[in-house]
Amino acid sequence: MLSAEDMIRLIETEDEINQMDKVFEQLAGHGHASGDFIKLDNVYDVIQHNAHPAYSGSEEADQKFIEILYDRKRTPDERAEILLSGRA
């Protein structure tokens, strides 16, 4: 299982990838996933694979995972705690 500190680091990295993607879209007209940087999605995959099982297995659970991961009103620490514990 992933430590809380590692989950926080991954969430911070995913936040930065999201910001970088906005720049890619402005400069190239498309995000990282359509080009040479598709492997950046591995960060998202590792977060999802290490999140509590409550956030996978159904479309509703996947949507909740996305809402929590990208909720910028919460700190990376708060999001990591939620994703690891299964308590929103």
Side-chain angles (χ1 to χ4, degrees):
M1 183 171 188
L2 200 62
S3 72
E5 292 81 17
D6 285 343
M7 181 64 93
I8 292 166
R9 287 183 188 110
L10 286 170
I11 290 171
E12 290 170 340
T13 302
E14 183 65 24
D15 287 350
E16 292 296 314
I17 290 170
N18 235 359
Q19 288 300 105
M20 186 178 64
D21 217 32
K22 291 177 185 176
V23 174
F24 279 163
E25 288 174 9
Q26 290 175 343
L27 295 174
H30 54 80
H32 75 274
S34 62
D36 295 328
F37 303 104
I38 190 97
K39 294 293 184 184
L40 290 172
D41 284 341
N42 288 347
V43 173
Y44 178 94
D45 292 342
V46 171
I47 295 169
Q48 189 172 40
H49 291 149
N50 285 279
H52 190 276
Y55 301 115
S56 64
S58 71
E59 192 173 315
E60 183 180 310
D62 290 344
Q63 185 59 40
K64 188 65 177 170
F65 170 80
I66 291 167
E67 288 172 12
I68 294 165
L69 181 60
Y70 294 117
D71 182 358
R72 298 302 191 273
K73 294 176 186 170
R74 293 183 171 143
T75 67
D77 297 48
E78 292 169 328
R79 289 181 274 159
E81 169 64 28
I82 293 167
L83 290 174
L84 288 171
S85 70
R87 290 177 268 138

